[in-house]
Amino acid sequence: MCTPTDLNPTEGIWALVKRDLGNLAAADLGEITRAVKRRLKKIQYRPDLVDGCIEATGLSLDALSNREPVPDHTSQPA
């Protein structure tokens, strides 16, 4: 799982990717790119891994869901 080394859950996701790629003997950059994309796709379908990375930061998604929506000032009036 992820370790609480940073307040950015993205760092935990990259740590998971790098751990899996540690023994990859790639012939070229394209092979590394494909391996990274495959691993990110697998993580995408494992919400428990993503949730673990968020929890390791001490952050909470509940705090964000209880906030008032930010008004969109970019839309034009009709």
Side-chain angles (χ1 to χ4, degrees):
M1 283 301 216
C2 296
T3 57
T5 57
D6 200 334
L7 288 178
N8 184 350
T10 306
E11 296 297 329
I13 298 295
W14 280 117
L16 292 171
V17 172
K18 289 189 287 187
R19 184 181 66 195
D20 286 351
L21 298 178
N23 293 323
L24 178 67
D28 58 16
L29 183 58
E31 189 175 346
I32 295 170
T33 302
R34 288 187 296 278
V36 167
K37 286 181 179 182
R38 269 194 312 272
R39 182 59 180 140
L40 287 172
K41 184 62 100 175
K42 286 182 182 180
I43 291 171
Q44 178 182 0
Y45 292 105
R46 294 281 312 273
D48 55 313
L49 291 178
V50 177
D51 290 346
C53 290
I54 293 170
E55 287 175 16
T57 65
L59 301 173
S60 170
L61 291 178
D62 294 332
L64 293 175
S65 64
N66 292 332
R67 293 186 355 194
E68 290 291 322
V70 177
D72 181 11
H73 296 292
T74 61
S75 59
Q76 299 294 325

